[in-house]
Amino acid sequence: MSNNILKIDSSARMDDSLSRKVTQYIADTLSSSSANIAHRDLAQTELELVTDAHISAYYTKADERSDEQKQLLSLSDELIGELKIANTLIIGAPMYNFSVPAALKAWIDLVCRVGETFVYGNNGPEGLTHVERAFIVVSAGGTAIGSPVDFSSAYLTQVCRFIGINNIHIIDASGSKRDPDTLLDFAKNQVDKILS
Ligand SMILES: Cc1cc2nc3c(=O)[nH]c(=O)nc-3n(C[C@H](O)[C@H](O)[C@H](O)COP(=O)(O)O)c2cc1C
């Protein structure tokens, strides 16, 4: 089976971004000659917010959608397509105001789509993706990961479960005010332990 890795970055920062460094480290560590790595940079993608028209299109059967609705869903289709072929998902999630950046939330709203990434079954929602494991890198300043005011880790874990991903690793990349090398070593050690 092919090894398809999807790396999602959402930091507005580029070179100085700690989450980007850690997501890249995970991708590099997992990559082999047989791995395909797709990169979606949400800071460089024009992500629309879900509108009334999107919701109508989501709930219209694919073969009954108008050309306008198909056009409206084209980015959502593209993002879902990237997710559907992935076995491994890596998400860089800087903490912005105790939660995820707006760009990451917009991506979530475009990929969590009924009939595509989840369905409602007899026992509630069932995830439809085939991602076997997810690495979620939560970078932050002073907010402790896993604390009651970290609204990123539990939220992203729930979103992953909702679309069918059950093997989820949260990588704590908090403490951006300290020496960046120390923080990176701290995060990389967690990754190494998981992968060893
Ligand atoms: C708009 C904004 C909001 C932030 N809010 C928080 C926060 O609520 N808690 C926190 O610990 N750090 C917060 N930070 C700090 C970032 O989470 C931290 O700098 C992190 O390293 C950013 O990820 P990056 O290095 O990948 O860009 C915020 C930074 C920005 C730019």
Side-chain angles (χ1 to χ4, degrees), residues 9-14 16-21 92-99 101 137-145 149 173-177 183:
D9 283 307
S10 65
S11 174
R13 300 199 297 171
M14 293 290 158
D16 293 335
S17 162
L18 297 162
S19 61
R20 285 176 186 274
K21 290 189 171 77
M95 186 180 290
Y96 286 177
N97 301 312
F98 309 103
S99 186
V137 178
V138 184
S139 56
T143 303
I145 304 308
V149 291
S174 62
S176 60
K177 299 228 167 22
L183 188 153

Side-chain angles (χ1 to χ4, degrees), residues 167-186:
N167 186 1
I168 302 158
H169 304 286
I170 299 285
I171 309 299
D172 177 346
S174 62
S176 60
K177 299 228 167 22
R178 61 183 160 170
D179 166 46
D181 288 337
T182 308
L183 188 153
L184 284 175
D185 284 346
F186 173 63

Side-chain angles (χ1 to χ4, degrees), residues 55-143:
I55 297 166
S56 297
Y58 284 2
Y59 284 92
T60 302
K61 284 186 186 151
D63 57 0
E64 292 174 9
R65 282 186 196 127
S66 65
D67 288 345
E68 198 179 47
Q69 286 180 316
K70 286 180 194 158
Q71 177 58 33
L72 187 66
L73 295 191
S74 59
L75 177 61
S76 169
D77 287 341
E78 190 180 332
L79 299 173
I80 288 173
E82 292 169 357
L83 193 55
K84 276 190 172 169
I85 58 166
N87 321 102
T88 302
L89 177 64
I90 306 168
I91 300 179
M95 186 180 290
Y96 286 177
N97 301 312
F98 309 103
S99 186
V100 299
L104 182 53
K105 178 64 167 67
W107 178 82
I108 290 167
D109 290 346
L110 292 169
V111 298
C112 292
R113 231 173 84 187
V114 68
E116 294 288 342
T117 51
F118 72 92
V119 283
Y120 290 109
N122 291 336
N123 301 316
E126 292 165 18
L128 296 178
T129 66
H130 301 288
V131 175
E132 287 151 24
R133 63 179 166 177
F135 295 84
I136 299 171
V137 178
V138 184
S139 56
T143 303

